Amino acid sequence: MNHRTGRPRVYSIAPIEGFANPDVAFHAAWIAELRERVVDQIGGLPIDALNYVAGDTKLSVARLARHLAWGEASWMGRLGSPHTADALDRALTSDALSAFDADPAPAKSADELIAPIRRVADEITNPQLATMTDLDASILDDGTTVLGVLMHLEWHWVYHSGQIGLLQFERGHDYEWTMHRPMVPRRP
């Protein structure tokens, strides 16, 4: 079993500067922290661990990493952000939820998976959220709000991070979760 100590969990999340709304900036910072956890989990994993598929699940670390980037970009699109590059769109749609019945595309490296995650954050998510002023604005016909979307993305990153951890563990790559001390969170 290969063992790696992960980055500490951060509890003191500071809102991202330059955002129009401090509450949106806090949620963007929380999503950024969760995103960095996944980047840390997959960074340096060998090809066999990135592409390992557990049983009949059709889930791999590579698929989940691409799916997380797709999900974030997709939800930002619902908030009004256009996708910024055709190549990024093509890379992300291969792991849209609707594609999960097909076998996952293999990855060549962890860096190949991390690049779209970073591009979505830098080119789509942060520019879109920086302009948002009303956290309670209803953005979908069913009444979903900006805050609802942000909280969904927080859950999405946490949920799939757990799956990524299990898949890499099953493939023989243990990732030790560590804690930052003291556990003194900031309040938004």
Side-chain angles (χ1 to χ4, degrees):
M1 176 78 59
N2 294 312
H3 179 84
R4 185 163 60 95
T5 301
R7 68 194 293 274
R9 283 175 244 178
V10 175
Y11 297 92
S12 184
I13 306 291
I16 299 174
E17 292 186 24
F19 277 52
N21 181 307
D23 292 325
V24 174
F26 173 78
H27 285 279
W30 181 233
I31 292 167
E33 175 58 28
L34 298 172
R35 190 186 302 118
E36 287 307 309
R37 166 66 56 196
V38 169
V39 166
D40 191 60
Q41 282 181 285
I42 65 178
L45 279 177
I47 302 297
D48 70 304
L50 295 172
N51 295 320
Y52 168 73
V53 176
D56 295 329
T57 66
K58 300 200 185 283
L59 294 178
S60 67
V61 170
R63 165 164 274 165
L64 291 168
R66 288 188 297 257
H67 172 73
L68 283 161
W70 166 82
E72 188 172 314
S74 176
W75 280 105
M76 288 302 107
R78 291 180 182 140
L79 291 180
S81 178
H83 290 256
T84 58
D86 288 342
L88 183 58
D89 286 341
R90 284 191 305 277
L92 297 178
T93 56
S94 68
D95 289 288
L97 194 56
S98 61
F100 270 37
D101 59 341
D103 290 333
K108 296 177 185 158
S109 70
D111 290 342
E112 168 193 306
L113 301 170
I114 292 168
I117 289 171
R118 297 241 188 264
R119 284 190 65 196
V120 167
D122 295 342
E123 298 175 23
I124 298 172
T125 303
N126 289 336
Q128 174 65 25
L129 293 180
T131 66
M132 305 297 295
T133 57
D134 186 359
L135 210 57
D136 297 316
S138 178
I139 52 106
L140 296 178
D141 291 341
D142 67 0
T144 296
T145 64
V146 171
L147 178 58
V149 167
L150 296 176
M151 292 181 76
H152 169 74
L153 287 173
E154 290 163 5
W155 279 109
H156 196 236
W157 281 99
V158 169
Y159 177 76
H160 290 308
S161 175
Q163 290 177 315
I164 287 169
L166 179 59
L167 287 169
Q168 70 186 54
F169 183 78
E170 284 186 6
R171 191 60 184 160
H173 297 273
D174 186 27
Y175 180 87
E176 180 185 350
W177 288 70
T178 60
M179 297 169 59
H180 181 264
R181 298 287 183 152
M183 293 186 294
V184 181
R186 289 184 192 201
R187 295 178 192 210

